[in-house]
Each structure stands twice: as C-alpha cells, then as structure tokens.
Amino acid sequence: MSSSKPHVCVVGAGVSGLRCAEVLLQNGCQVTIIEARDRLGGRICQSDKLGYRADIGPNWIHTSDAEGRFPILELAKKTKTPLHSWNDKQNIYSISGELLPAAKSDELSTILWTNIESAIEHSSKNGKDIPETDSLRDFLQQKAKERFPDDEESRELLMQMAEMWGAYIGEPVHRQSLKFAWMEECCGGTGEKFVETTWEAILAEIAKLSLEKAKVRLGERVVGVQTMERNAEGSQVVVSTDKGENLIFNEVLMTTPLGFLKRNKNMFQPVLPERLLAGIDGVSVGHLEKVYITFPSAFWIDPPTTKPDPKLSPAELSIVNDTFPGYTNWLSPSYSLSTNPERFPIECWNLASFTPPNAHPTLIFYLYGPCSAYITSLVHGLPESEHHALLSDFFMPYISLLPNYSASNLDCEIKAILSTEWQKDELSGYGSYCNFQVGAKDASGDVEAMRRGVPERRLWFAGEHCAPFDECGTVAGAYLSGEGVAVRMLETYEITNPVI
C-alpha cells in the first residue's frame, strides 16, 4: 500500500460527494469535484416561485440513529436552521368527501402505525422466509382482517389510510417489498423534523471546506471512467468529460444518483463486476413529487378566540396557536373523477403552522408513483398560465373541503403554485431516491455491493443508495455514505484514525 496521499476525483457535488471531499481534504488529500449542474447540492435546491424561497428537494430530516449519530440534525442545530415538529392532529376525508370523526381517524391511525411497525419487525426477523412477491400491503391487509374481522367499513378505511405510506417510499404500498421492509425503518419515525426555511445553510456548512480547498468544476459532465487494477504498473484512473478532456486521478468516487447509474453503466471501462451490476439493477428508484400551493392567507385556520399573551415569544405563540391538524388526507376520492379518474389519494401538510416569520399560507402536497407521473406529465413543458390552471383544477376539489372555504372569498383563491419534476430530470435519474420494491431478491446484498464499489480498481460509489441500512434514501444516509467511503479510501493509503 502507498502511504502517499491521493488525488481523488469526486463525481457529483451532492451531499455524499461534498462530505467525502470534506473528510479527504481534512486529511491532506487533493480533491477535484466534477459536477454536471451549474451549482452544488444535487437534489438539494430551491425555488423562489412562491414569492419566498422553498426547497424543491428534501424537506425532512430523518432522525433514526444511524451508527449512533444524527449528523444532519446536528448540522441543522449548528447552522441554526429552524426545524418544525408536527402536531399529532390530522384530518381524514372519506371517499365521499366527509370528514371522519377525530376519534375514528385517531383510532385507525394508531392501529395503522402499529401494524407498520409490526411489518418492519416481521420483515427483520423473517425476511429470509418471506416470498419476494409479498408486499407490505399484503401484510397490512391481513392485520386489518385480524383487527376488524366483522367490520368491513373499518377494514376498508384502514387500508385506504395505509396508502399514505407511498409518500415515504415514492411508490404505492402494494409495490413495497415486505421481505425488505426492514430497510425502510427510518421512515415515519416520531422524531422526524421538517425544515421550516430551506436546506441552504446546512448545505453551505457541508460544502464550506470543498469551496475553500478543492478544485470544483461545475457544468461539466463525466462521460467515461477508465480504471486499472491497483497493483498494475502505472495504475491510475482516467475520467473523461463532455468537454473532451481526459483527466488522471489516483481514485474516483461516483456519487451520481442511482437512477442515473442504471442508465449509464456503460460509461465504465472495463465493465463493472457482475455483482455490482446486479446491485445497481436490483435496487429500485421511487417517484416522489410535491406541489406547493399558497394563498393570500391561511383561510383554513380559525383566528384565536382570545387575545394572545404579550409575554409569549413568537415560537411560544406558534405552539399555542397550532390547533389545525398538521396532516390532511383525502382518501381515494370518488367526487373528483373528471380530474382524478384513478382516484389517487391526496395528502398535504400545513406550512402555516411554522414559527413566524417562517409560517406561510401554504399547503404542500406529496404525490407518489402513478399519481406523481400523472401530474408531472399533465403540466410538463406548459406555459405558466396553463400549468397554474391545470393544477388548480386538480387540487381544488380537496382544497374546497377545508374549513372556512368559500369560492367567493378572495383569501381562498390560489395565489401561486410550485411543482417539482424530478422524474423529468436526467441528472437525478428520472426519479427521487432508492426504495425496495416487490420482486427484490437480495436488496441488502445489492446495497452492500454498491457500497463496496471496486476499490481494487480505484473505483468507489456513494450516495443515499449506498447508505447504512437504516438511512437508505435519506440525506443523512448520503452524508454517512460519503464519509464512510472517505475513511475506507484513506485506509487504503495507510491513513488510520483520520480526522472526520
């Protein structure tokens, strides 16, 4: 092993690439980052279309204790990024548009989350014996029958509510593998936080050292990676760009999204090992989109009935006034067939509950799987006026059921709409983040194969699809993945106990 410090090419300036670069730079390595976009951050980015800045990438900080650490939560605190904890209230509308009694929705929600936790535990203990064709929905359906053997209405309501799990994985619940449900354990935890502003400060902190010490090449796309066996004479890596350059490095780290890897496996020469190719193919990519809809005011929230205590801080006052449910779900609607013929369930979160000045009269809708494909295809490439009109027509049947809505009230008119289109984005791999769908044969082995990479050929991989199992698909997972690769790379150069 050589003890000299390497020159590393990091392909992709998302969280995993920036974190890997940070650790390498802290330990004296030379780093060049090549990023196809004209900015840092990858899927962390923002838009001002609503009249204020909003994230079009991740909103949530998942707080499972991957490796006993909470890296993104720690960074949020360090950068004083304001975080929101949702109240435990919810509004659930039936298929006919009637608001379920709070007691009923709370009862079913408690049962549902208990059943999901049971599914994850069952998956963890019995995964080897679970057929590849079994879905999470199959398990939840069986639990619903056991819980309500003679109550078909409650069974149906419970299973309609179960569809909300799709917003966590980016696909409908019947596509979620039961065999590998344990690999989604980070989703839906009670400790999850929502970023009230944006991820900009967190990203800036992660990118700080790279901007100071690395060579960052934006707007350049890697089109080829040629590697050699580490023990070969003159062993090196040749990285080819769309500018026609062939750049030479000691090591190369690929942090491109999984969906992009799936479509560009032929960029590597020699061909990737068979197990790594199988791993790239074996893990699925979800399709999660979101639509922000903002109004002149949060008409759905009743004004306080008493004068606020002048001694309360804005944060304390926000908690006192946080009476409207954070979460609203319209179950498989039968009353909007002209715009939603497939009866996709609709759900949103109330951003007006944030602490001032971060509170906005905005609802954020999460769409997944076929629903996200339908909406994205509906408005892609259209002029702003048509985009606004089509999405207004689609969401209005649900918005109109909210408290205090009146078609004649100007406060109820949609002011601005922001919708994401990750499944139209080539660099993101035409999708959102990894998940583990029905039919997966060895999902944990697939992740391990990608996580290992091909170090004997100086080729490494990182990203949310190479993360610790309890953080796959998350920003924290991407961060830990990049960090882990850096440590392993340094060990190759006999640099132990590195600064991290």
Side-chain angles (χ1 to χ4, degrees):
M1 298 289 182
S2 170
S3 59
S4 61
K5 294 179 180 178
H7 184 187
V8 179
C9 177
V10 174
V11 181
V15 166
S16 58
L18 292 171
R19 177 53 178 162
C20 181
E22 181 180 34
V23 174
L24 293 175
L25 291 165
Q26 286 171 333
N27 290 276
C29 298
Q30 185 178 353
V31 177
T32 296
I33 300 173
I34 304 179
E35 167 58 53
R37 302 186 193 273
D38 61 0
R39 56 171 178 78
L40 303 181
R43 284 167 281 187
I44 294 180
C45 54
Q46 293 77 35
S47 169
D48 296 315
K49 187 178 178 182
L50 296 172
Y52 61 90
R53 183 151 292 191
D55 284 311
I56 62 173
N59 296 116
W60 301 78
I61 295 179
H62 301 281
T63 54
S64 69
D65 58 346
E67 301 185 356
R69 297 172 56 198
F70 304 88
I72 304 302
L73 186 60
E74 292 164 2
L75 284 167
K77 292 178 180 177
K78 180 179 181 179
T79 58
K80 295 181 171 53
T81 297
L83 304 178
H84 186 72
S85 296
W86 297 100
N87 64 35
D88 59 0
K89 303 177 180 68
Q90 58 187 336
N91 275 343
I92 308 295
Y93 291 88
S94 72
I95 62 173
S96 61
E98 296 179 4
L99 182 63
L100 295 184
K104 185 65 173 180
S105 61
D106 289 348
E107 175 198 10
L108 293 177
S109 182
T110 299
I111 294 170
L112 174 60
W113 281 108
T114 298
N115 290 347
I116 289 175
E117 291 169 1
S118 296
I120 291 172
E121 182 179 1
H122 173 69
S123 172
S124 179
K125 291 182 178 179
N126 306 291
K128 292 181 179 179
D129 300 320
I130 297 174
E132 299 162 8
T133 54
D134 283 10
S135 71
L136 177 60
R137 191 184 194 283
D138 295 330
F139 184 94
L140 297 178
Q141 183 78 63
Q142 181 59 41
K143 287 293 183 181
K145 291 178 181 178
E146 294 173 4
R147 182 63 177 80
F148 298 110
D150 303 314
D151 186 349
E152 182 178 358
E153 180 182 0
S154 292
R155 285 200 308 270
E156 285 299 312
L157 280 172
L158 186 61
M159 292 311 299
Q160 288 162 7
M161 290 174 63
E163 295 298 329
M164 65 86 206
W165 184 251
Y168 288 95
I169 63 172
E171 295 292 338
V173 68
H174 70 268
R175 292 297 309 150
Q176 170 63 48
S177 167
L178 178 62
K179 187 178 184 72
F180 296 104
W182 62 273
M183 295 178 69
E184 303 282 8
E185 188 171 7
C186 70
C187 294
T190 57
E192 289 185 327
K193 305 293 185 182
F194 195 102
V195 174
E196 285 194 346
T197 51
T198 72
W199 282 71
E200 289 171 287
I202 297 172
L203 178 64
E205 183 65 24
I206 299 171
K208 182 179 180 180
L209 193 60
S210 292
L211 290 174
E212 292 175 358
K213 295 187 176 183
K215 183 175 183 180
V216 181
R217 303 173 62 140
L218 298 178
E220 298 186 33
R221 180 166 172 170
V222 170
V223 296
V225 178
Q226 185 174 352
T227 58
M228 298 175 61
E229 291 293 332
R230 187 175 297 277
N231 58 7
E233 184 177 351
S235 177
Q236 60 189 13
V237 178
V238 180
V239 175
S240 303
T241 74
D242 60 353
K243 306 293 186 183
E245 293 185 89
N246 293 317
L247 309 172
I248 298 175
F249 301 95
N250 300 113
E251 312 284 337
V252 61
L253 168 64
M254 301 297 300
T255 72
T256 52
L258 176 59
F260 184 89
L261 277 182
K262 287 177 178 289
R263 292 170 170 79
N264 293 276
K265 290 175 290 193
N266 61 355
M267 71 188 295
F268 301 98
Q269 297 296 328
V271 175
L272 296 176
E274 183 176 337
R275 184 63 188 92
L276 178 53
L277 290 171
I280 293 171
D281 288 337
V283 177
S284 304
V285 176
H287 297 89
L288 181 72
E289 306 288 356
K290 54 189 177 183
V291 178
Y292 291 87
I293 300 182
T294 192
F295 302 83
S297 70
F299 66 84
W300 53 91
I301 299 178
D302 293 323
T305 56
T306 58
K307 188 175 181 179
D309 186 342
K311 296 180 181 179
L312 295 178
S313 68
E316 293 170 328
L317 186 60
S318 177
I319 294 173
V320 170
N321 291 336
D322 188 18
T323 58
F324 189 82
Y327 175 72
T328 299
N329 191 346
W330 294 266
L331 305 176
S332 190
S334 62
Y335 46 88
S336 53
L337 296 180
S338 62
T339 53
N340 186 1
E342 299 296 324
R343 297 177 60 182
F344 298 123
I346 306 297
E347 62 179 73
C348 77
W349 296 82
N350 170 34
L351 305 193
S353 63
F354 291 170
T355 304
N358 306 317
H360 297 285
T362 302
L363 302 171
I364 182 172
F365 294 81
Y366 287 98
L367 314 175
Y368 51 88
C371 180
S372 70
Y374 173 76
I375 290 298
T376 302
S377 297
L378 181 69
V379 299
H380 179 67
L382 293 181
E384 176 58 29
S385 59
E386 294 182 49
H387 176 278
H388 185 101
L390 285 169
L391 291 184
S392 295
D393 288 345
F394 182 86
F395 288 102
M396 192 51 70
Y398 320 111
I399 293 169
S400 65
L401 295 178
L402 293 174
N404 308 320
Y405 176 84
S406 171
S408 61
N409 184 349
L410 295 180
D411 284 340
C412 301
E413 290 187 4
I414 295 174
K415 181 179 178 182
I417 300 177
L418 169 62
S419 64
T420 65
E421 294 190 351
W422 291 108
Q423 56 200 283
K424 299 293 185 181
D425 188 314
E426 180 190 8
L427 294 178
S428 73
Y430 302 108
S432 47
Y433 46 81
C434 74
N435 61 23
F436 310 100
Q437 297 187 28
V438 170
K441 302 180 185 301
D442 185 16
S444 57
D446 293 336
V447 171
E448 287 177 337
M450 291 188 286
R451 189 188 297 156
R452 181 184 182 278
V454 199
E456 63 273 17
R457 279 172 39 188
R458 303 177 179 271
L459 175 61
W460 311 77
F461 292 84
E464 47 85 15
H465 51 287
C466 305
F469 291 138
D470 53 355
E471 283 289 4
C472 283
T474 71
V475 180
Y479 183 93
L480 291 168
S481 173
E483 179 182 289
V485 166
V487 170
R488 290 167 49 218
M489 201 181 295
L490 291 168
E491 289 173 350
T492 300
Y493 287 82
E494 300 178 355
I495 302 172
T496 56
N497 300 315
V499 176
I500 59 172

